[in-house]
Amino acid sequence: MSNPLSLGYSPCPNDTFIFYALVHGKLAGAPKVRERLEDVETLNQLARRGALDLTKISYHALGHLRHEYALLRSGGALGRGCGPLLVSSRPCDIEELRTTCIAIPGELTTANLLLQLHGEGFSRTRAMPFDRIMPAVAAGEFAAGVIIHESRFTYRQHGLHQVLDLGQWWELETGCPIPLGGILARRSLGAGLIGRIDAALKASVDYAFAHPDEPRAYIREHARELDDEVTDSHIQLYVNAFSRDLGDEGIAAVEQLFSRAEARGLIPPCDLPLFVSAG
């Protein structure tokens, strides 16, 4: 393919760590890509408009896009102990928040989907960029907010209190790891090219693990949190064996999320397979 593929991902350390080798031409024979770095909800909306060939996506968004995009096995964010947190400006019980307005990092984020799957859900939410949620809650603009990414390491610095660890709730409820975000490819790219892309993503993850210091300048260039300790903690939490390959356990977690969301009417049903098979 002569033209590079458009590839969207976030400026968060886990993504810049994973994609460093691919976008910097470190992998022989890998498809050429042109990166676009945006926050996760912007990527969700771009995918909804079909604006990207490849993209990091919230699994919630994938639930709405399964007819146009297929899931890749490598490059995503899925694990244990890494879910979104519901935080407030004062200690409170979750039931106190059912009728208040809660800040969320986007309508199509998995964070919002997990929030809506908890109990009867939450009827009043307001979407805003994830990095604005903690200051807004601390300032009293919202009673609570759902925080993601590196915010889970820094919310106490804003004087905030954890009300609920949505990831921990999910793990206890289902026994599955938390499917936060995956990598999608347009189904129209075809099985052959999609297979090459998936192999290149796995190789990019392997390269980052083998050369952990090499991507550091690129990560620091884009990180919203410049503290190296926070950056390293972020990568250690969100980049793991599931980032190399979802495997049976990861796939089961995604299917469990979609099954529960479909049953609640939060995403539409889809009869297409998650993956495009070369066979």
Side-chain angles (χ1 to χ4, degrees), residues 189-222:
L189 293 176
L193 180 54
I194 290 173
R196 287 180 58 211
I197 294 163
D198 220 349
L201 283 177
K202 182 177 289 187
S204 192
V205 174
D206 288 341
Y207 188 98
F209 279 137
H211 308 86
D213 292 329
E214 189 175 329
R216 190 169 292 278
Y218 181 63
I219 294 167
R220 191 178 291 118
E221 176 187 350
H222 295 288

Side-chain angles (χ1 to χ4, degrees), residues 16-92:
T16 47
F17 180 81
I18 283 173
F19 291 109
Y20 168 81
L22 178 61
V23 303
H24 287 85
K26 304 289 183 178
L27 309 173
K32 300 296 183 184
V33 297
R34 180 182 68 255
E35 74 266 37
R36 177 169 178 177
L37 276 66
E38 302 283 358
D39 71 88
V40 65
E41 182 64 1
T42 299
L43 294 173
N44 291 339
Q45 298 298 338
L46 286 169
R48 203 171 200 177
R49 301 200 301 269
L52 297 166
D53 296 315
L54 313 167
T55 187
K56 176 74 173 286
I57 198 83
S58 298
Y59 274 111
H60 185 187
L62 172 56
H64 294 271
L65 299 171
R66 287 176 283 177
H67 286 95
E68 294 78 26
Y69 286 92
L71 181 62
L72 301 183
R73 296 177 183 274
S74 301
L78 188 147
R80 296 185 182 276
C82 59
L85 305 179
L86 178 63
V87 299
S88 64
S89 57
R90 61 176 181 81
C92 66

Side-chain angles (χ1 to χ4, degrees), residues 3 7 16 30 37 53 68 79 84 101 116 149 155 163 167 185 191 201 208 210:
N3 295 323
L7 166 64
T16 47
L37 276 66
D53 296 315
E68 294 78 26
C101 190
Q116 300 308 332
H149 301 324
Y155 70 91
V163 179
L201 283 177

Side-chain angles (χ1 to χ4, degrees), residues 41-254:
E41 182 64 1
T42 299
L43 294 173
N44 291 339
Q45 298 298 338
L46 286 169
R48 203 171 200 177
R49 301 200 301 269
L52 297 166
D53 296 315
L54 313 167
T55 187
K56 176 74 173 286
I57 198 83
S58 298
Y59 274 111
H60 185 187
L62 172 56
H64 294 271
L65 299 171
R66 287 176 283 177
H67 286 95
E68 294 78 26
Y69 286 92
L71 181 62
L72 301 183
R73 296 177 183 274
S74 301
L78 188 147
R80 296 185 182 276
C82 59
L85 305 179
L86 178 63
V87 299
S88 64
S89 57
R90 61 176 181 81
C92 66
D93 183 86
I94 190 168
E95 296 307 320
E96 297 178 49
L97 302 176
R98 294 286 180 190
T99 58
T100 62
C101 190
I102 295 175
I104 58 171
E107 295 291 341
L108 292 179
T109 58
T110 306
N112 184 41
L113 183 56
L114 291 173
L115 182 72
Q116 300 308 332
L117 286 172
H118 186 275
E120 298 300 315
F122 294 77
S123 59
R124 298 179 60 199
T125 58
R126 178 82 58 80
M128 62 171 49
F130 83 89
D131 58 326
R132 288 180 49 202
I133 291 177
M134 291 193 298
V137 174
E141 296 175 38
F142 298 90
V146 179
I147 58 173
I148 57 175
H149 301 324
E150 61 267 24
S151 299
R152 70 177 292 122
F153 303 112
T154 60
Y155 70 91
R156 293 183 184 86
Q157 298 172 17
H158 293 258
L160 302 179
H161 303 266
Q162 178 181 309
V163 179
L164 175 66
D165 185 327
L166 284 161
Q168 183 182 60
W169 165 77
W170 167 263
E171 291 182 59
L172 292 172
E173 180 81 6
T174 67
C176 294
I178 311 140
L180 296 171
I183 311 300
L184 304 189
R186 289 184 194 274
R187 291 183 183 271
S188 60
L189 293 176
L193 180 54
I194 290 173
R196 287 180 58 211
I197 294 163
D198 220 349
L201 283 177
K202 182 177 289 187
S204 192
V205 174
D206 288 341
Y207 188 98
F209 279 137
H211 308 86
D213 292 329
E214 189 175 329
R216 190 169 292 278
Y218 181 63
I219 294 167
R220 191 178 291 118
E221 176 187 350
H222 295 288
R224 296 176 187 269
E225 296 281 356
L226 298 180
D227 183 279
D228 282 346
E229 184 177 349
V230 171
T231 296
D232 291 343
S233 296
H234 184 111
I235 293 169
Q236 290 167 14
L237 187 61
Y238 293 108
V239 186
N240 52 40
F242 292 116
S243 304
R244 291 191 73 253
D245 192 305
L246 279 172
D248 292 342
E249 187 181 14
I251 293 168
V254 176

